[in-house]
Amino acid sequence: MDLLSVLYFGMLSQQLANEPGAPWESGRYTSRFGTVVRLFLAAYPPARRTDSPGPRPDRARPPAAPRRRPRSTGSSSPEG
């Protein structure tokens, strides 16, 4: 998502800096929006969706670490 954001807002900032009054469809940079999206999708195709319910494996939480029992606070001396 970070890369897609950089591509989109980079294109948009170039357009606003160089041709601020041009329409989106015919702007020097914004007219290439479709090409940018196609190139991005070719490089990073969407993950296939599965029909199984539940969280996706790449977003599953790692198992929790086992809890340790607290040490007793009693005296450790032989008399105690």
Side-chain angles (χ1 to χ4, degrees), residues 31-41:
S31 63
R32 291 170 170 77
F33 179 69
T35 303
V36 169
V37 171
R38 284 191 296 279
L39 288 171
F40 181 82
L41 291 174

Side-chain angles (χ1 to χ4, degrees), residues 64-75:
R67 292 185 166 206
R68 293 185 179 183
R69 297 179 76 190
R71 293 184 176 179
S72 68
T73 56
S75 174

Side-chain angles (χ1 to χ4, degrees), residues 3-79:
L3 179 58
L4 185 58
S5 175
V6 167
L7 291 172
Y8 177 77
F9 287 106
M11 177 195 58
L12 184 60
S13 65
Q14 285 288 340
Q15 181 66 39
L16 292 174
N18 294 293
E19 288 185 316
W24 179 272
E25 298 82 18
S26 61
R28 180 176 175 189
Y29 299 95
T30 54
S31 63
R32 291 170 170 77
F33 179 69
T35 303
V36 169
V37 171
R38 284 191 296 279
L39 288 171
F40 181 82
L41 291 174
Y44 301 100
R48 290 183 178 219
R49 297 187 73 174
T50 62
D51 292 331
S52 63
R56 293 184 359 197
D58 61 336
R59 294 192 181 184
R61 290 184 181 168
R67 292 185 166 206
R68 293 185 179 183
R69 297 179 76 190
R71 293 184 176 179
S72 68
T73 56
S75 174
S76 62
S77 67
E79 291 91 19

